[in-house]
Amino acid sequence: MQGVGFRPFVYRMAVKNAVAGWVENNNEGVSIHAEGSPQQLEQFLTDLKAQAPEAASIREISVSVAQSHNYTVFQIQQSHSYSQLVTEVSPDIAVCSACLADLSQQTHRINYPFINCTNCGPRFTIVKALPYDRHQTTMKPFALCAVCKTEYNNLHDRRFHAQPVACLHCGPAYQLQDGQLFSDGKALAELLSPQIDAGKIIALKGLGGFHLICNAHDNEAISRLRQRKARDGKPMAVMVKNAEKATQYFQLSATEKLQLESWRRPILLLKNKLPLAFEVSRGLNTTGVMLPYMPFHHQLFEVLKIDVLVMTSGNIADEPVIIDNEEAFDKLGKIADFVVGYNRAIHNRVDDSVAFVVNEKARPIRRSRSFVPAPVQLAIEAENVLATGAELVNTFAIGKAKQAIISQHIGDLKNAETLAFYEESFTRFGALFRFKPQLAVCDLHPDYLSTRFAHQLDIETLEVQHHHAHIASCMAEHGLNEKVIGIALDGTGLGTDGTIWGGEYLICDLSDFSREYYFDPVPLPGGDKVTDQPWRTAFSYLYMYFGLSIFIDENAMKLIPDQKDLPLLMQMIDQGINSPLSSGAGRLFDAVAALTGICTQSSFHAEAPMRLEAAIKENCQGKYLFEIERQAISFRKMFYKILEDMKAGISVGEIAAKFHNTIIVINLKIAKALHKKTGINKVVLSGGSFQNRYLLEHTENILQRAGFEVFAHQKVPTNDGGISLGQLAIGAKYLQNQIKNK
Ligand code: ZN
Ligand code: ZN
Ligand code: FE
């Protein structure tokens, strides 16, 4: 429950059923004291369940009998404590169907593109301070007209206390570079639509930042967009007119349809059905798809001839998405043929959120718009704990009572602009939630900019091993506070022994962990270079397992782009020059993708594993052999057989399937071994590799069939975007242990 007009809703239902009493927010949610006849109370309860605003998400309603106070009216109690106010900052909510209907019905809002009500509209993106009140948002410059004011003050109106309420006469308007204002969304759509048809690129201000938009069928337009924006080969998200159209272009299960149409309107990764322009997803078998969520998105599709638009974030390369009109006119003006802003400021920048569905459950990949700042409930108190997050896919988290408030997706901190965004967001969270950190939890890696940020704060710090944080993150979102078997399959994280970890089988709780098994460490010749050049890792695995004998294998030799680099490469590995050891699962996936020729050079983060997954031949049960040597899982036999399979002309699809099946079986085998050793039956999955749908689906299923209780991420990303939550949980536990020891 977060300031989504729930209390006015309860009030209206009470009045409707002639129920007296009160409603108030508290730390646990909402309390209602209701007095009336049994029939009235019964109907009141039914209405609460059936008609609640979508974004209110009622987890449970518990009813008990109270002392009657003979109330004569029903009242909304004001929030009085600070922590109650926190829960009232709602994430942004997609425009509701009632408001869309009003676009053609309400005379003061005909075609008005900033229509909203208590059930929908901007929230977090416009809020500057608490309590959440119009004058503390970027709606402040827009004085309510008499009509809007009446609605705002009328408890029976859907717009009662809707802070961003506005109309044609008093609210924000779209704005072109020449200053021209549009309060009529339809007129603006009619202006832009022929441009999009003609292959032009539009920069359009969204809820949390600008988008770059063009026709998703126009290969030439999209490649121009990629070029101008200096975008690597990463696939681009699309927006589709509605769910029916989405089912034409993409495979859509019932759960996926529900997610797509939810008020959060995330970008959902869906399997392609009808092809769009090649440049959208560049040969990957999935596309990021979302439905319209601002009134103007709907208005644009009304007018457009096409049903699918490329809709990618309005930024240059990896910089944060642009939110400011002037900056957009300046920078995005060089990419887009038209830049369309609007004259209300975005205060908190948020990207579109991204998720996918596996085993009928939604799994977040990027948690931002419409999720932030909704808190995650923790099992223990985390007041004043700050978690500074990881580096590449950063978020930070702050502790408020038993809640974790996780920042929006920040991005790669190595980028100067992104680091500035991190610092800005941290300052804003501090002000908004009146947060003053007393303990800063960070990664073990001393060079992460988030680690340095923690150390600069001049408060107590706690360094947490990356994969311990991954598992703790998944534990935290499931309320686990006990010993578990943790499987962290990930790209990169610094281990306690100074090597790089990432294929880790842990026994851990929120206080500590032990590393029980791990993927065979392999030297990474060239260090960071291997992420762009997966062939290096493939070569290194083969050289490690088979030494000079790989020289007689044609496929192994084909890996090296330039044969004269070979002696140097071998020397680097032999002598350990710039060749750190890594047990990272991501590197193993890289190596198999490179060896099979699926991806030898990578043009964006995690391209090789993504392409390897996309290549999997369906319904292929085969797998490879592996060995466990003390604690290390050796892939010698697997690589030997892959080379044989390649020689025998086995398809890459089959090899990809057999490889994935091997990892899934390893997960089962190790879980069983650890269960035998400890008796623990709970298995927690985390780390970036579990963004691989095949790996996640089959690992969950095989473990469940074997009788394990399996936990994977559903609230925060399994990638490094979830690290801050794990750090926060470990920090909270650390404080709890300290108090106990005193
Ligand atoms: Zn609405
Ligand atoms: Zn008005
Ligand atoms: Fe990680």
Side-chain angles (χ1 to χ4, degrees):
M1 236 63 74
Q2 297 120 10
V4 290
F6 193 74
R7 284 170 300 164
F9 159 74
V10 173
Y11 174 88
R12 287 197 294 278
M13 294 306 116
V15 171
K16 183 187 157 212
N17 293 298
V19 164
W22 48 259
V23 55
E24 69 170 22
N25 276 7
N26 58 39
N27 290 337
E28 313 300 319
V30 170
S31 290
I32 301 168
H33 178 98
E35 298 182 1
S37 73
Q39 291 89 333
Q40 287 167 333
L41 292 175
E42 191 62 38
Q43 187 58 42
F44 174 60
L45 206 56
T46 307
D47 288 349
L48 284 185
K49 286 175 192 162
Q51 294 179 41
E54 222 187 330
S57 69
I58 298 178
R59 218 174 297 133
E60 90 180 274
I61 299 181
S62 61
V63 182
S64 58
V65 178
Q67 184 67 45
S68 169
H69 292 281
N70 295 318
Y71 288 112
T72 52
V73 291
F74 195 87
Q75 279 186 313
I76 296 176
Q77 315 273 45
Q78 291 307 312
S79 311
H80 24 80
S81 97
Y82 179 68
S83 55
Q84 288 163 22
L85 287 176
V86 167
T87 61
E88 290 186 30
V89 193
S90 163
D92 302 85
I93 308 166
V95 61
C96 73
S97 51
C99 280
L100 285 177
D102 282 347
L103 282 178
S104 54
Q105 289 164 8
Q106 285 192 323
T107 45
H108 58 306
R109 295 201 180 90
I110 295 293
N111 295 334
Y112 180 59
F114 294 95
I115 193 165
N116 65 83
C117 71
T118 37
N119 300 333
C120 77
R123 295 287 188 277
F124 174 64
T125 50
I126 59 168
V127 67
K128 290 171 139 175
L130 286 177
Y132 172 61
D133 225 340
R134 188 178 179 99
H135 72 275
Q136 311 239 52
T137 71
T138 58
M139 284 300 288
K140 192 184 174 191
F142 303 94
L144 284 171
C145 73
V147 184
C148 286
K149 198 168 212 161
T150 316
E151 295 169 335
Y152 181 87
N153 288 322
N154 177 4
L155 250 166
H156 299 280
D157 195 284
R158 207 175 80 245
R159 296 188 172 85
F160 172 72
H161 279 208
Q163 304 306 338
V165 69
C167 76
L168 282 169
H169 310 297
C170 66
Y174 279 100
Q175 188 176 18
L176 302 187
Q177 189 156 12
D178 61 9
Q180 199 186 343
L181 290 175
F182 281 84
S183 303
D184 183 331
K186 196 167 173 226
L188 180 62
E190 274 160 1
L191 179 84
L192 298 180
S193 154
Q195 304 296 331
I196 293 170
D197 286 335
K200 295 282 195 319
I201 298 165
I202 315 284
L204 177 70
K205 189 167 174 179
L207 261 183
F210 274 81
H211 280 122
L212 288 159
I213 296 175
C214 68
N215 181 348
H217 303 284
D218 189 337
N219 220 30
E220 195 271 330
I222 306 167
S223 75
R224 192 152 29 90
L225 174 55
R226 273 190 193 278
Q227 217 166 29
R228 290 189 189 165
K229 169 175 152 77
R231 167 99 171 186
D232 46 29
K234 224 185 291 175
M236 288 194 179
V238 299
M239 183 177 273
V240 184
K241 185 173 186 173
N242 53 40
E244 284 88 87
K245 295 289 176 192
T247 52
Q248 287 176 16
Y249 285 95
F250 307 100
Q251 292 176 31
L252 202 59
S253 71
T255 309
E256 286 170 328
K257 186 163 179 280
L258 269 178
Q259 284 298 318
L260 211 54
E261 289 184 305
S262 82
W263 62 271
R264 299 188 198 267
R265 295 281 152 120
I267 294 175
L268 206 62
L269 294 187
L270 296 176
K271 277 210 169 123
N272 302 336
K273 202 153 103 185
L274 272 188
L276 297 167
F278 173 79
E279 281 291 332
V280 174
S281 48
R282 290 207 165 178
L284 283 170
N285 59 350
T286 53
T287 305
V289 183
M290 63 183 145
L291 296 183
Y293 57 86
M294 288 178 84
F296 183 66
H297 297 154
H298 290 272
Q299 295 179 304
L300 188 58
F301 278 110
E302 286 280 291
V303 179
L304 279 171
K305 288 199 200 94
I306 51 169
D307 302 318
V308 192
L309 289 173
V310 159
M311 207 153 198
T312 184
S313 44
N315 56 359
I316 318 268
D318 289 328
E319 291 177 13
V321 61
I322 290 172
I323 55 173
D324 178 70
N325 285 355
E326 292 311 313
E327 195 183 353
F329 291 140
D330 176 31
K331 285 190 180 172
L332 298 181
K334 296 184 179 81
I335 300 173
D337 304 289
F338 271 94
V339 181
V340 184
Y342 56 76
N343 58 2
R344 178 182 67 208
I346 295 172
H347 186 69
N348 296 304
R349 177 199 325 259
V350 291
D351 292 271
D352 291 315
S353 296
V354 187
F356 63 96
V357 171
V358 156
N359 285 338
E360 300 308 309
K361 289 181 199 127
R363 328 278 182 151
I365 293 180
R366 186 163 77 196
R367 189 182 180 277
S368 225
R369 173 183 51 77
S370 292
F371 285 87
V372 177
V376 172
Q377 300 294 329
L378 298 172
I380 45 177
E381 187 81 25
E383 189 75 25
N384 295 335
V385 182
L386 165 69
T388 62
E391 174 148 281
L392 190 61
V393 190
N394 177 276
T395 63
F396 61 84
I398 64 174
K400 274 274 160 196
K402 278 182 165 183
Q403 295 185 328
I405 304 174
I406 304 158
S407 77
Q408 65 270 56
H409 162 81
I410 305 277
D412 183 356
L413 297 185
K414 283 195 289 300
N415 194 317
E417 287 83 2
T418 311
L419 184 63
F421 172 32
Y422 180 88
E423 288 164 351
E424 174 195 273
S425 290
F426 176 71
T427 309
R428 289 189 176 179
F429 264 63
L432 188 60
F433 300 110
R434 273 169 254 181
F435 174 79
K436 221 178 161 302
Q438 282 173 1
L439 172 70
V441 193
C442 59
D443 198 276
L444 190 63
H445 202 305
D447 297 332
Y448 278 6
L449 293 171
S450 50
T451 305
R452 290 193 192 161
F453 183 83
H455 288 299
Q456 278 163 20
L457 292 172
D458 253 353
I459 52 174
E460 189 185 357
T461 56
L462 178 68
E463 287 89 21
V464 174
Q465 200 280 322
H466 190 87
H467 302 101
H468 185 206
H470 266 304
I471 299 299
S473 170
C474 190
M475 291 174 69
E477 66 165 75
H478 291 284
L480 295 175
N481 181 16
E482 60 190 274
K483 270 205 176 356
V484 300
I485 297 169
I487 302 183
L489 300 186
D490 195 39
T492 292
L494 181 63
T496 51
D497 61 358
T499 69
I500 303 168
W501 292 5
E504 310 305 317
Y505 297 83
L506 314 175
I507 296 291
C508 70
D509 55 22
L510 295 177
S511 307
D512 210 354
F513 74 94
S514 65
R515 189 190 197 203
E516 300 289 331
Y517 293 94
Y518 45 85
F519 285 4
D520 223 357
V522 63
L524 303 178
D528 286 344
K529 262 192 200 167
V530 300
T531 52
D532 293 339
Q533 301 175 15
W535 66 265
R536 287 174 177 268
T537 313
F539 174 80
S540 185
Y541 266 112
L542 298 181
Y543 185 54
M544 171 171 84
Y545 285 139
F546 313 115
L548 297 177
S549 65
I550 57 167
F551 283 86
I552 54 166
D553 190 288
E554 207 184 316
N555 287 310
M557 283 300 95
K558 264 202 304 217
L559 275 170
I560 299 125
D562 190 343
Q563 298 297 324
K564 64 178 192 299
D565 293 339
L566 198 54
L568 180 65
L569 206 60
M570 286 172 9
Q571 196 190 7
M572 283 171 79
I573 296 171
D574 290 340
Q575 297 174 15
I577 305 162
N578 193 22
S579 297
L581 281 176
S582 166
S583 62
R587 297 295 80 78
L588 180 69
F589 281 72
D590 277 357
V592 175
L595 181 58
T596 49
I598 288 169
C599 184
T600 54
Q601 312 259 358
S602 168
S603 72
F604 60 91
H605 178 66
E607 178 178 3
M610 280 167 79
R611 293 203 181 276
L612 187 63
E613 182 193 351
I616 293 174
K617 182 180 157 196
E618 276 182 56
N619 302 319
C620 174
Q621 310 297 328
K623 52 185 182 289
Y624 294 114
L625 293 174
F626 58 90
E627 294 154 302
I628 299 172
E629 292 163 0
R630 293 155 74 89
Q631 288 176 284
I633 297 147
S634 162
F635 298 99
R636 183 195 315 263
K637 287 188 170 168
M638 182 184 82
F639 276 106
Y640 186 80
K641 191 75 175 94
I642 290 177
L643 286 172
E644 276 200 345
D645 275 358
M646 289 175 72
K647 249 179 259 157
I650 304 284
S651 74
V652 291
E654 200 169 318
I655 296 174
K658 284 161 82 176
F659 164 68
H660 280 83
N661 294 342
T662 309
I663 306 299
I664 291 155
V665 169
I666 290 173
N667 289 341
L668 176 66
K669 180 152 187 185
I670 305 275
K672 279 182 172 169
L674 291 175
H675 173 75
K676 201 170 165 197
K677 178 177 167 185
T678 63
I680 298 169
N681 199 45
K682 289 186 171 144
V683 182
V684 177
L685 312 177
S686 189
S689 297
F690 283 110
Q691 262 170 243
N692 183 312
R693 294 146 60 112
Y694 188 91
L695 181 69
L696 178 59
E697 181 185 336
H698 294 282
T699 298
E700 277 187 350
N701 293 347
I702 204 171
L703 286 170
Q704 262 156 13
R705 277 201 301 270
F708 286 102
E709 249 188 287
V710 188
F711 301 87
H713 287 277
Q714 282 172 255
K715 291 183 182 155
V716 301
T718 194
N719 59 44
D720 283 5
I723 284 285
S724 61
L725 177 63
Q727 292 174 341
L728 192 79
I730 290 170
K733 186 72 186 181
Y734 168 81
L735 291 183
Q736 197 187 50
N737 289 342
Q738 265 191 338
I739 293 165
K740 266 194 214 145
N741 293 341
K742 261 176 199 165

